[in-house]
C-alpha cells in the first residue's frame, strides 16, 4: 500500500507571531530577577503590570498599555509589600483592581486611579493575612465577583471573599490542606466549580473549592507535572513538566479519570519550565519555555490524537515570563487571536507579540471570533459561596456590537468608593454609553457638584484614553498616530456604509410587507 500523508484542514494552520516594532515596546523596565516560576506580568486592555527589581521590599510597576517607548526610571510604583512580590493578577471584572502576593506572607489588593499611577502607592484597598509562609501564587475566580484564591509555601490554598467591609481580612472563607508540598500552579474549569493544582510532590489534584473535597488525584511516575490547565469544555486537563529522564514533556488527562494520561509527548532536553496558555475560543494551545526564545503552538481536538502541532514562533530573545491580553483587548481588524507580552530581562524590555490569522479581507471575521468571556461577573461572591454555579457572561468582539463594561463592588464601606461602572470601548468606536450617561446625569442633577462616577469616566478615542496618552515624541510617532487615525476613519466609514445598506434592506422589507397586505385582504 502506498503511503499517503494525512492532511488536516484547519483555519489556524498558518497562524504566525508578529512582534511589535521597537517604538511599541516598553524599554528600560527593571524586570525582577526572582527565580519563582511565575509570569511576573499581568495585562488588561488599560494597564500593564510588571514585577520589578528593587531594594528594601517588593514593588511592581503599573503602566498604561498605550505608554510605550522608554519608561522613566523614576516611574511611580506600587510598593506596599515588605518582601519581594512574587505574583500579580488583574481582577477580570474590574480593570482598575489588581492583587499582588509577596514573600512577606500577605496578599494585597490595590485600587488603580483611572489615569494611572501618578505617585507611589503604599496603602492597599484590602490586605489578606492568613498564610504563615511566603505566598507564591494568586488567582481570581473566573465567574464570581471578588473571590480570590491564594496558595503559599505553607502548602495551603485559601479562598478569600473581598466583599466584607474590613480593610484587613484575617479569616479566609475556606482553607484547603490536601497538599504535602508547594503548589506550583492552579487552574479553574469554565464555571469555576472545580480547580486543578500541580504540586511539588509530583501529583495533579482536582478539588471542589467550596467544600474543599479532593475529587481526583494523579501520581504518574513517568511524568513530573509543573503546570496544569483545564481545557475549556473539553473535559480534559493539560499538564506540562518533565519526564523521568528530565526531558521536557506534556501530558493530556481525562478530567474524570486521572489514573493514566491520555497522551504523553516529549519535546526537548532544555531545563526551562514550560508555560502553557490555552484559548478556548480557537482551541489553540501555546507552549512557551522559560529562558527560550521560541514558542510552539498546537490545536486541541476532542478525538485522537487530541493535540495537533501547528508551527513554531522563533526569536533570539529569551523570555523570563509572559503576560496575556484578555480577548476583549485584541485588535480584531488585523485578525489578532492572541497577544503575549514577553519579558526580555537581557534587554530590560517588554515586547508585545501578536498571534495573527492571515486573511485577505479587512472586515470582521466571525469564524475566528466566537462569543467570548466578557468582563461582567456571572455571580456575586455570596451567590457563589451559597452553592450556585454559572458559566461566564459572554460578549461579542464585533466592533459596535456592544461596549464592554467593568463592574466593581469594591467601594463598600469606604469613603472614596469605587462602586463605579467604567467603560472600555472597542478601538475606533465612540463611547455611546458614556455620552448617554453624561446626558442623564446632567438632566438629573440640581447642584453643580460632580459625582465620583462621573470623575471615573475617561473618554476614549482611537482606542486610547485621553488622560493616558502622551504627546508624540518624534516625527515617526506622529506619523504613526496619523495613520492610526486614518485607519479609524476608514473603519467608521465602512461601518456606516454597512448600516446604510442594512437600513435600505429593512425599508424594502417594510415596503414589500405593506404591498402584500391588500392582496391578502382581497383573498
Amino acid at each position: 500500500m502506498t503511503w499517503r500523508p494525512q492532511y488536516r484542514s484547519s483555519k489556524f494552520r498558518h497562524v504566525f507571531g508578529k512582534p511589535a516594532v521597537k517604538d511599541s515596546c516598553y524599554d528600560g523596565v527593571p524586570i525582577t530577577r526572582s527565580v519563582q516560576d511565575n509570569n511576573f506580568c499581568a495585562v488588561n486592555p488599560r494597564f500593564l503590570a510588571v514585577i520589578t527589581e528593587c531594594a528594601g521590599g517588593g514593588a511592581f510597576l503599573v503602566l498604561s498599555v498605550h505608554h510605550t517607548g522608554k519608561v522613566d526610571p523614576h516611574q511611580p510604583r506600587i510598593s506596599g509589600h515588605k518582601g519581594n512580590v512574587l505574583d500579580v493578577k488583574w481582577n477580570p471584572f474590574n480593570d482598575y483592581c489588581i492583587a499582588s502576593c509577596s514573600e512577606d506572607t500577605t496578599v494585597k489588593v490595590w485600587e488603580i486611579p483611572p489615569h494611572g499611577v501618578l505617585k507611589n502607592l503604599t496603602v492597599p484597598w484590602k490586605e489578606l493575612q492568613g498564610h504563615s509562609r511566603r505566598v507564591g501564587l494568586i488567582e481570581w475566580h473566573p465567574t464570581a465577583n471578588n473571590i480570590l484564591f491564594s496558595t503559599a509555601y505553607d502548602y495551603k490554598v485559601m479562598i478569600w471573599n473581598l466583599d466584607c467591609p474590613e480593610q484587613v481580612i484575617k479569616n479566609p472563607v475556606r482553607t484547603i490542606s490536601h497538599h504535602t508540598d508547594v503548589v506550583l500552579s492552579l487552574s479553574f474549569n469554565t464555571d469555576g466549580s472545580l480547580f486543578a493544582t500541580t504540586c511539588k510532590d509530583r501529583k495533579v489534584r482536582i478539588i471542589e473549592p467550596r467544600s474543599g473535597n479532593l475529587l481526583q488525584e494523579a501520581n504518574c511516575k513517568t511524568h513530573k507535572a509543573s503546570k496544569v490547565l483545564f481545557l475549556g469544555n473539553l473535559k480534559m486537563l493539560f499538564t506540562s513538566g518533565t519526564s523521568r529522564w528530565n526531558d521536557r514533556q506534556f501530558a493530556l488527562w481525562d478530567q474524570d479519570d486521572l489514573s493514566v494520561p491520555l497522551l504523553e509527548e516529549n519535546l526537548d532536553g532544555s531545563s526551562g519550565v514550560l508555560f502553557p496558555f490555552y484559548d478556548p475560543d480557537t482551541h489553540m494551545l501555546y507552549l512557551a519555555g522559560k529562558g527560550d526564545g521560541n514558542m510552539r503552538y498546537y490545536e486541541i481536538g476532542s478525538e485522537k490524537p487530541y493535540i495537533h502541532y501547528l508551527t513554531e514562533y522563533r526569536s533570539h530573545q529569551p523570555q523570563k515570563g509572559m503576560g496575556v491580553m484578555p480577548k476583549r483587548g485584541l485588535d480584531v481588524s488585523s485578525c489578532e487571536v492572541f497577544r503575549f507580552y514577553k519579558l526580555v530581562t537581557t534587554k530590560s524590555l517588554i515586547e508585545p507579540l501578536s498571534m495573527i490569522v492571515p486573511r485577505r479581507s479587512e472586515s470582521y471575521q466571525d469564524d475566528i471570533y466566537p462569543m467570548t468571556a466578557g468582563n461582567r461577573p456571572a455571580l456575586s461572591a455570596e451567590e457563589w459561596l451559597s452553592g450556585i454555579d454559572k458559566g461566564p457572561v459572554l460578549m461579542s468582539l464585533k466592533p459596535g456590537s456592544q461596549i464592554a463594561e467593568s463592574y466593581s463592588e469594591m467601594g463598600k464601606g469606604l469613603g472614596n468608593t469605587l462602586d463605579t461602572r467604567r467603560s472600555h470601548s472597542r478601538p475606533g468606536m465612540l463611547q455611546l454609553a458614556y455620552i448617554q450617561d453624561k446626558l442623564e446625569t446632567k438632566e438629573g442633577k440640581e447642584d453643580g457638584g460632580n459625582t465620583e462616577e462621573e470623575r471615573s469616566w475617561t473618554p476614549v478615542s482611537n482606542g486610547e484614553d485621553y488622560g493616558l496618552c502622551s504627546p508624540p515624541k518624534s516625527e515617526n510617532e506622529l506619523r504613526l498616530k496619523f495613520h492610526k487615525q486614518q485607519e479609524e476613519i476608514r473603519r467608521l466609514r465602512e461601518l456606516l456604509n454597512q448600516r446604510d445598506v442594512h437600513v435600505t434592506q429593512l425599508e424594502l422589507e417594510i415596503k414589500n410587507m405593506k404591498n402584500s397586505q391588500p392582496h391578502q385582504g382581497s383573498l
Side-chain angles (χ1 to χ4, degrees):
M1 184 188 299
T2 58
W3 178 83
R4 294 179 183 178
Q6 293 182 350
Y7 292 105
R8 282 184 65 255
S9 62
S10 170
K11 64 186 77 170
F12 304 109
R13 180 184 295 279
H14 302 292
V15 169
F16 66 94
K18 182 180 179 183
V21 296
K22 186 67 183 290
D23 290 344
S24 298
C25 296
Y26 307 83
D27 196 10
V29 181
I31 300 167
T32 178
R33 297 191 186 96
S34 171
V35 295
Q36 188 85 2
D37 289 329
N38 286 339
N39 285 310
F40 304 117
C41 179
V43 193
N44 69 28
R46 290 183 180 272
F47 297 110
L48 165 71
V50 58
I51 301 172
T52 59
E53 190 69 21
C54 69
F60 61 98
L61 283 176
V62 171
L63 305 169
S64 165
V65 163
H66 305 294
H67 272 182
T68 54
K70 191 75 174 176
V71 174
D72 185 356
H74 302 293
Q75 176 78 20
R77 306 183 187 198
I78 298 176
S79 54
H81 285 286
K82 297 177 182 177
N84 290 332
V85 177
L86 299 180
D87 197 14
V88 289
K89 292 284 182 354
W90 288 104
N91 187 335
F93 311 119
N94 183 0
D95 289 343
Y96 300 87
C97 174
I98 188 170
S100 62
C101 63
S102 166
E103 290 181 351
D104 64 7
T105 75
T106 65
V107 179
K108 298 188 179 185
V109 186
W110 309 84
E111 292 173 342
I112 305 302
H115 297 293
V117 180
L118 304 179
K119 62 180 181 179
N120 286 344
L121 286 182
T122 56
V123 180
W125 170 57
K126 297 281 186 186
E127 182 172 336
L128 315 179
Q129 300 176 358
H131 289 287
S132 58
R133 298 186 66 187
R134 58 181 173 173
V135 187
L137 190 66
I138 48 176
E139 289 288 347
W140 293 92
H141 193 276
T143 59
N145 197 28
N146 284 338
I147 294 289
L148 184 66
F149 286 61
S150 66
T151 177
Y153 280 66
D154 56 10
Y155 312 156
K156 295 176 181 177
V157 177
M158 294 188 179
I159 306 173
W160 306 88
N161 179 7
L162 305 185
D163 277 348
C164 61
E166 294 86 6
Q167 194 266 335
V168 177
I169 305 173
K170 296 187 178 181
N171 297 314
V173 174
R174 180 165 294 282
T175 301
I176 299 170
S177 306
H178 292 300
H179 302 87
T180 60
D181 211 325
V182 179
V183 178
L184 301 176
S185 72
L186 189 151
S187 174
F188 292 95
N189 65 347
T190 306
D191 62 5
S193 59
L194 301 173
F195 72 91
T197 62
T198 53
C199 183
K200 210 169 180 180
D201 62 9
R202 303 182 183 180
K203 293 182 180 180
V204 180
R205 294 173 174 87
I206 296 180
I207 299 171
E208 204 286 319
R210 283 171 297 223
S211 65
N213 293 334
L214 178 64
L215 304 182
Q216 295 271 339
E217 187 175 271
N219 187 9
C220 185
K221 294 180 180 179
T222 61
H223 177 71
K224 296 182 284 185
S226 62
K227 302 290 179 184
V228 64
L229 281 180
F230 266 101
L231 297 182
N233 290 319
L234 294 178
K235 298 286 185 181
M236 290 190 287
L237 285 179
F238 178 91
T239 59
S240 61
T242 56
S243 69
R244 63 171 69 178
W245 295 282
N246 282 336
D247 289 330
R248 291 199 298 191
Q249 70 173 191
F250 60 76
L252 198 65
W253 309 78
D254 182 351
Q255 177 183 320
D256 299 322
D257 181 14
L258 298 184
S259 57
V260 180
L262 298 172
L263 175 73
E264 278 186 16
E265 187 171 323
N266 288 357
L267 290 178
D268 53 38
S270 299
S271 59
V273 173
L274 284 172
F275 293 106
F277 303 93
Y278 181 64
D279 181 2
D281 300 332
T282 60
H283 301 294
M284 284 185 66
L285 176 80
Y286 304 86
L287 279 182
K290 185 177 179 180
D292 297 356
N294 63 333
M295 182 188 302
R296 301 172 177 88
Y297 28 107
Y298 304 79
E299 194 169 4
I300 306 294
S302 57
E303 299 177 353
K304 288 184 179 182
Y306 302 114
I307 298 181
H308 307 276
Y309 174 75
L310 293 174
T311 185
E312 183 176 5
Y313 167 78
R314 293 181 177 273
S315 168
H316 295 295
Q317 298 179 348
Q319 61 252 3
K320 184 180 180 71
M322 308 283 273
V324 175
M325 174 68 77
K327 296 299 285 284
R328 57 194 171 89
L330 299 182
D331 181 9
V332 296
S333 63
S334 63
C335 296
E336 182 184 33
V337 292
F338 218 72
R339 188 192 304 162
F340 295 97
Y341 285 76
K342 177 177 172 178
L343 304 186
V344 184
T345 50
T346 54
K347 294 190 174 183
S348 300
L349 186 77
I350 303 177
E351 178 188 55
L353 173 64
S354 299
M355 311 308 294
I356 293 175
V357 179
R359 294 282 173 95
R360 290 185 179 179
S361 173
E362 294 184 359
S363 61
Y364 178 76
Q365 306 291 311
D366 294 281
D367 60 325
I368 62 174
Y369 295 114
M371 296 288 283
T372 188
N375 59 340
R376 295 185 185 182
L379 298 163
S380 67
E382 289 76 14
E383 288 173 332
W384 182 76
L385 290 170
S386 68
I388 302 173
D389 289 318
K390 282 186 183 177
V393 178
L394 301 180
M395 63 174 283
S396 170
L397 297 181
K398 189 171 184 178
S401 60
Q402 74 177 66
I403 295 175
E405 295 171 348
S406 283
Y407 284 86
S408 168
E409 299 293 332
M410 286 180 59
K412 293 182 180 177
L414 296 176
N416 56 339
T417 62
L418 278 182
D419 186 10
T420 58
R421 183 182 61 191
R422 295 185 175 102
S423 171
H424 166 70
S425 73
R426 297 297 310 151
M429 296 308 301
L430 188 63
Q431 276 193 343
L432 183 61
Y434 167 68
I435 296 169
Q436 289 174 345
D437 189 79
K438 280 288 188 184
L439 289 171
E440 287 171 8
T441 50
K442 189 174 181 181
E443 289 171 3
K445 271 195 308 179
E446 293 181 359
D447 55 352
N450 289 330
T451 63
E452 184 69 27
E453 183 171 355
E454 286 175 345
R455 288 196 295 272
S456 72
W457 285 104
T458 310
V460 176
S461 175
N462 199 23
E464 300 184 6
D465 293 3
Y466 288 140
L468 301 178
C469 288
S470 56
K473 300 173 186 174
S474 63
E475 189 177 342
N476 269 341
E477 196 172 339
L478 184 64
R479 191 179 292 111
L480 186 65
K481 287 188 181 289
F482 171 75
H483 288 313
K484 278 186 179 179
Q485 194 175 37
Q486 293 298 311
E487 179 67 17
E488 178 186 1
I489 292 169
R490 185 194 64 76
R491 284 202 304 268
L492 288 172
R493 280 178 178 163
E494 185 180 341
L495 187 64
L496 282 173
N497 289 335
Q498 290 174 359
R499 292 190 175 178
D500 286 342
V501 171
H502 188 54
V503 168
T504 307
Q505 289 174 347
L506 291 175
E507 287 175 347
L508 285 172
E509 286 178 15
I510 293 169
K511 191 175 180 182
N512 290 335
M513 288 174 67
K514 286 181 177 177
N515 290 336
S516 64
Q517 281 175 0
H519 297 292
Q520 291 174 358
S522 62
L523 291 172

